[in-house]
Amino acid sequence: GVFEYGTQYYTYEEGVGYTLADVSVGGTISSTYFVNQKVVSYTQAVAYSSETTYYQKDRSTVEYKGEIGDYAFSQCTALTTATIEAQILGDYMFNYCTALEKVYLVNANIKKINKAAFYHCEKLTIITNDKTDAVTDYIALEKTSITEIGDYAFNYCLELKEVALPDTLTKVGSYAFAYNEELLEATISCGDATFGTYVFAFDTKLTTVTIAAGVKAIPDYAFYNCSSLVSMILEGDLDAQNDIVKIPTNVQSIGTYAFANCDSIINLEIPALLTTIGDYAFANCEELVNVDVKGAYLGKYMFANCYALERVDIAEAAYIDAVLTKITEIPEGAFYRCFSLVSLNDTNVIKLNESITAIGEKAFAQSTALTTLKLPSTLLSIAEGAFSGTRSMTTIDIPFIGGARTS
């Protein structure tokens, strides 16, 4: 193979990495020597593995064709533009390239963007396979055949404003787009993909997510602390509202703290097929007012500290795997410290479904606006502190027949 340094080309042995004198990759380089156009000694290995490499600390542009090893262009702090023709981008490939703004993917044949490939590329605004594309501030992978984005791949890309993920993706890693503080919109077309934890966490300006109906799981902390999120729209829904977070209809699980601290959500719809909900899934959503639960399950502390929550409707029944399923439990802390809650399945009444058999600890504790409570005839147990601190309650309807229930 060969690589270019300055105006000259140098050969190198396949499978062996070399470091040039003025290149720093995770350490300080002391010296490098050339004899008959071949590097004969080096102080730190860098993974060169193809025909042509441009690798120079003060170079502002790079063009590369072939396989790319880990850390290949890491900490090239003057680099602003990269044109890449490769199927796999190596781990930490452009790690801490803090001036990198534009990346062009030639021939759209990219398959994988590995772990932390663009980690801390703080000026990155565009990745596209079309150099004539005039749009900026986005990652447009929808015209590629990419299948995998690794952990931390675009973590701390502080100038990025829009992300579009294609339906070819099968895996998106943990923290892949986390801490992108200027990100406004995300389009997730990959309905069959699996997503890692914290995938969009701490994207504090993320307002709108357009998501494929086929998505089946939202992982732990997926949108944690996305404090501007107001809208989740189903892809292709022409009648979509811009002021509701509508969880995709095929979602079966929502992870722990998945939407916690999303302070701007006002309206929320939970799908019928949901069977697994992690603790605190929507906790601390301080502006949440209305919730429609189409299914039969709630999670522990699911709406804890949702201070503005006023109204919740829970479906009488839902078909899950072709089985008619009814809600049987209000779990521990589900509506803990929901100071404004006054209506559940009825206006100004907390009317529990005629299928509920258990109310967990602190389920409605400190819900201080609650005035009227109607318990179902199916109820078998009320746990400790379930209604403690509901100081505005004036009326309780207990329709037990044939004796008192345990408490």
Side-chain angles (χ1 to χ4, degrees), residues 90-134:
D91 291 359
Y92 300 93
M93 178 179 170
F94 292 103
N95 173 49
Y96 279 100
C97 290
T98 52
L100 181 62
E101 298 177 4
K102 300 177 181 179
V103 176
Y104 298 111
L105 303 173
V106 179
N107 295 334
N109 64 351
I110 184 75
K111 297 296 184 185
K112 292 176 65 177
I113 297 175
N114 280 354
K115 182 178 180 180
F118 296 96
Y119 181 73
H120 262 285
C121 290
E122 297 169 8
K123 298 294 183 181
L124 183 65
T125 58
I126 182 168
I127 294 183
T128 181
N129 63 321
D130 185 359
K131 275 194 173 184
T132 65
D133 200 332

Side-chain angles (χ1 to χ4, degrees), residues 240-272:
Q241 298 173 275
N242 293 323
D243 62 347
I244 183 170
V245 169
K246 188 173 184 179
I247 308 300
T249 53
N250 287 317
V251 166
Q252 299 172 17
S253 68
I254 297 176
T256 300
Y257 287 95
F259 292 88
N261 291 21
C262 290
D263 292 338
S264 297
I265 298 176
I266 298 173
N267 302 298
L268 174 66
E269 183 175 308
I270 307 292

Side-chain angles (χ1 to χ4, degrees), residues 25-47:
V25 181
T28 302
I29 306 304
S30 57
S31 62
T32 304
Y33 302 94
F34 299 94
V35 177
N36 297 326
Q37 294 189 335
K38 179 173 287 190
V39 179
V40 295
S41 67
Y42 55 94
T43 58
Q44 184 176 334
V46 177

